[in-house]
């Protein structure tokens, strides 16, 4: 362990201050309610005498642990390796071959930023299973180092491929504050509002007043009438959701910047309080995906995700987002610049029977919905007001389902060009994927009993990148096999018969 | 692009014949798990006897029907084939699925045997690629054949160049 020849470096020692502040924050957050609780039962003096030493002990303990961690963590970068040594009792040593390092991501929460520090995540992106933290995944986390040191590491570790003929870096897109208007158009608006309502009930419940909101709403309803109350409640609900999504969006995407760096790396930088920097090696990119959720699409905007190996397959993560919801022409330009494809290709539509299928689903859903409402109205003593509300909601949903079915069919399409397989689908979440043909590493073709009767088939290309599979759904059962056979030469052909 | 009627041909090989017996055993076990407690309770608890024995009878009848009818049907639908270039398998019943994994992209070849499979001398061969969605599974091969196959696959994949992603 005493092989210190000066090449080993330690983490930044300000980590102790950061830990102290973070733990102190937690201690205050937990200590104040406790003190209030004890204080109300005994006296303020007794409460302080118990809680203050406890808080101090917590902070001191955390700082001590962090000191030991800091003391025993060393890293170094040699010509071929990135090495990390850590552990107080059990010493572990991890080394990554430098040429296998694919990602170097920097992030800094507000406390780290105050001290000019960053957390560095170095990975080989070898997540074989793609399902989270597989043992084969090799990562080194440096938490924290100085900002300058972090930037230098990033440049050193990713710049190895730099050649003389490489063009200099360029900025592909920067943040436009007007993009904020697309943020509330996502479904998160409803999710966050629902979360806020849930949290309100929970907090009131802690104080034993869980029924309070209901009483308040009933009082208002008596004053201004049921319909006005419903409108008011909807207004408050939507406002809460809009405020929530705006806050999340601004925190995540403030100062967004997409750059192409020398050495063939794309870099996304963003964040208001916590800053993030994600680097993607272009050599590992297997395609792009243009995602247009319903609300964003109706505002003429689109998001661009990258399909790359080396990122975990986590649908909730936004690390793969190259461009947040932005005007469509810009999304098209970014798509073209990153993948070299036409972002508005003319796609081959799918058979009409795919449309019949979608309409059939919509009609079945409508029938079920109507049956439920009729049953509710007939068999339960539901007040007339609620019957009216449910009927309106049901009527809107029924119409919406049919419209979505027609729209979903219109979205279906595919195309094969020199380098990419293009597939589009979805109404509520329309996604157009441009998948590199050489990134396809297998096929999964499936056909349900209903699809067979309609002459349709779903062809899924499997890949090591992005979501690991991209499907062309409900395509013509004969034509799409030719497309798949052509997309990857010699793979599917031996298993096909043509007559 | 030929505008003919292109179709997938079924893979060449069938599963081992004992796969049918293995499926029968599986179905019997999964039917017996809910049915047996019902029968035991029905015998012990007199007042609720009808309410326990009738469902048990329904479950048992369905199990018998499944044991008789399903395995031969499944057996016809499951096929597999290995060429120099790819592994090809067909499975699924109501949702027919054909899977193709090229040799050059295969990362691991696993042979596994559950306790029931062991009793019937069967094995499962799983071929994985760098895509978590790309695995090809052949369930119900004679276990010696499975061992040979996995050895052969390992050999071919070593000889086939490719970086697997």
């Amino acid at each position: 362990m005493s092989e210190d020849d000066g090449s080993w470096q330690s983490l930044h020692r300000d980590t102790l201050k950061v830990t102290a502040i973070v733990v102190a924050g937690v201690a205050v957050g937990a200590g104040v309610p406790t003190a209030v609780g004890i204080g109300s039962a005994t006296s303020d003096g007794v409460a302080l005498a118990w809680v203050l030493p406890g808080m101090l002990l917590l902070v001191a303990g955390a700082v001590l642990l962090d000191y030991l961690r800091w003391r025993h963590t060393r890293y170094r970068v040699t010509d071929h390796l990135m090495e990390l040594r850590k552990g107080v009792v059990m010493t572990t040593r991890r080394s990554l071959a430098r040429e296998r390092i694919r990602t170097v991501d920097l992030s800094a929460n507000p406390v780290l930023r105050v001290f000019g520090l960053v957390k560095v995540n170095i990975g080989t992106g070898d997540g074989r299973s793609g399902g989270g933290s597989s043992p084969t995944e090799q990562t080194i986390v440096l938490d924290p180092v100085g900002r300058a040191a972090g930037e230098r590491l990033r440049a050193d570790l990713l710049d190895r491929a730099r050649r003389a003929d490489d063009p200099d870096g360029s900025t592909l897109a920067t943040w436009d504050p007007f993009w904020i208007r697309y943020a509330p158009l996502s479904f998160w608006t409803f999710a966050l509002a629902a979360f806020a309502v849930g949290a309100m009930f929970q907090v009131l419940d802690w104080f034993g007043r869980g029924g309070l909101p209901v009483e308040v709403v009933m009082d208002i309803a008596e004053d201004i009438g049921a319909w006005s109350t419903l409108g008011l409640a909807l207004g408050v609900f939507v406002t809460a959701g809009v405020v929530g999504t705006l806050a999340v969006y601004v925190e995540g995407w403030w100062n967004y910047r997409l750059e192409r760096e020398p050495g063939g790396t794309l870099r996304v930088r963003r964040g208001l309080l916590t800053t993030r920097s994600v680097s993607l090696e272009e050599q590992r990119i297997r395609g792009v995906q243009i995602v247009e959720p319903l609300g964003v699409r109706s505002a003429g905007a689109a998001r661009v995700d990258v399909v790359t190996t080396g990122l975990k397959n986590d649908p909730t993560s936004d690390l793969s987002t190259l461009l947040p919801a932005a005007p469509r022409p810009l999304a098209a330009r970014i798509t073209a610049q990153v993948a070299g494809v036409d972002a508005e290709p003319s796609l081959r539509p799918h058979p009409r029977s795919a449309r019949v299928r979608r309409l059939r689903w919509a009609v079945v859903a409508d029938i079920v919905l109507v049956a439920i409402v009729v049953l509710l109205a007939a068999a339960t003593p539901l007040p007339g007001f609620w019957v009216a509300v449910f009927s309106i909601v049901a009527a809107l949903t029924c119409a919406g389902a049919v419209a979505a079915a027609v729209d979903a069919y219109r979205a279906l399409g595919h195309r094969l060009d020199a380098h990419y397989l293009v597939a589009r689908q979805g109404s509520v979440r329309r996604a157009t994927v441009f998948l590199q043909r050489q990134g396809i590493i297998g096929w999964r073709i499936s056909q349900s009993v209903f699809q067979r009767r309609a002459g349709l088939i779903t062809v899924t290309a499997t890949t090591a990148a992005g979501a690991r599979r991209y499907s062309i759904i409900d395509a013509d059962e004969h034509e799409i096999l030719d497309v798949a056979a052509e997309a990857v030469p010699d793979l599917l052909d031996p298993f096909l018969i043509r007559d | 692009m030929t505008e003919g009627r292109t179709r997938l041909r079924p893979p060449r090989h069938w599963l081992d014949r004992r796969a049918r017996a293995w499926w029968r055993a599986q179905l019997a076990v999964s039917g017996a798990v809910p049915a047996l407690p019902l029968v035991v309770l029905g015998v012990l608890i007199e007042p609720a006897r009808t309410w326990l024995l009738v469902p048990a009878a329904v479950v048992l009848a369905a199990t018998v029907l499944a044991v008789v009818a399903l395995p031969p049907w499944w057996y016809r639908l499951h096929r597999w084939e290995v060429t120099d270039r790819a592994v090809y398998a067909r499975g699924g019943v109501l949702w027919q699925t054909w899977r193709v994994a090229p040799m050059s992209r295969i990362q691991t070849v696993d042979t596994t045997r559950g306790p029931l499979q062991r009793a019937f001398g069967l094995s499962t061969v799983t071929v994985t690629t760098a895509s978590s969605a790309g695995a090809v599974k052949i369930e119900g091969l004679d276990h010696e054949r499975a061992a040979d196959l996995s050895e052969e696959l390992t050999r071919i994949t070593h000889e086939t160049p490719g970086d697997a992603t």
Side-chain angles (χ1 to χ4, degrees), chain A residues 380-405:
Chain A
T380 62
L382 205 63
F385 167 73
W386 286 110
V387 172
V389 170
F390 285 148
S391 303
I392 292 171
V393 171
L396 288 177
T397 313
C398 286
V402 173

Side-chain angles (χ1 to χ4, degrees), chain A residues 13-95:
Chain A
R13 66 175 308 154
D14 280 352
T15 178
L16 303 180
K17 297 179 197 166
V18 172
T19 304
I21 289 173
V22 171
V23 177
V26 173
V28 169
V32 169
T34 316
V36 171
I38 299 176
S40 62
T42 57
S43 72
D44 290 353
V46 176
L48 278 184
W50 277 102
V51 174
L52 258 189
M55 285 164 65
L56 285 177
L57 209 65
L58 191 67
V59 173
V63 170
L64 180 70
L65 282 181
D66 199 44
Y67 172 76
L68 287 174
R69 183 185 74 94
W70 173 78
R71 185 67 209 280
H72 289 90
T73 305
R74 294 278 188 280
Y75 70 92
R76 74 170 173 187
V77 183
T78 65
D79 289 348
H80 300 291
L81 294 175
M82 164 85 212
E83 290 179 279
L84 179 78
R85 232 169 49 190
K86 65 173 181 182
V88 182
V89 183
M90 286 257 295
T91 311
T92 58
R93 189 172 173 156
R94 175 171 292 173
S95 43

Side-chain angles (χ1 to χ4, degrees), chain A residues 164-188:
Chain A
D165 57 342
D166 264 338
D168 278 343
S170 59
T171 300
L172 301 183
T174 51
W175 195 57
D176 182 338
F178 284 111
W179 297 352
I180 280 184
R181 68 181 185 274
Y182 303 125
L185 297 174
S186 87
F187 293 94
W188 283 107

Side-chain angles (χ1 to χ4, degrees), chain A residues 184-225:
Chain A
L185 297 174
S186 87
F187 293 94
W188 283 107
T189 305
F190 293 99
L192 284 174
F195 177 77
V197 170
M200 180 180 74
F201 273 100
Q202 183 65 57
V203 170
L204 286 172
D205 197 42
W206 286 337
F207 292 96
R209 300 296 303 277
L212 188 66
V214 179
E215 287 165 30
V216 171
V217 170
M218 293 306 253
D219 283 351
I220 298 175
E222 254 170 47
D223 287 348
I224 63 171

Side-chain angles (χ1 to χ4, degrees), chain B residues 60-111:
Chain B
L60 282 176
T63 306
V64 169
L65 206 67
V67 164
V68 171
L70 294 183
W73 184 29
W74 292 351
Y75 185 70
R76 279 200 302 278
L77 295 174
H78 287 75
R79 304 273 197 96
W80 64 277
E81 179 175 341
V82 173
T83 69
D84 305 350
R85 315 194 59 128
V87 180
Y88 177 39
R90 185 177 79 177
V93 178
L94 293 179
W95 277 265
Q96 279 266 287
T97 309
W98 297 259
R99 291 160 190 272
V100 182
M103 288 293 171
S104 57
R105 310 289 196 165
I106 290 175
Q107 287 189 329
T108 62
V109 182
D110 296 330
T111 317

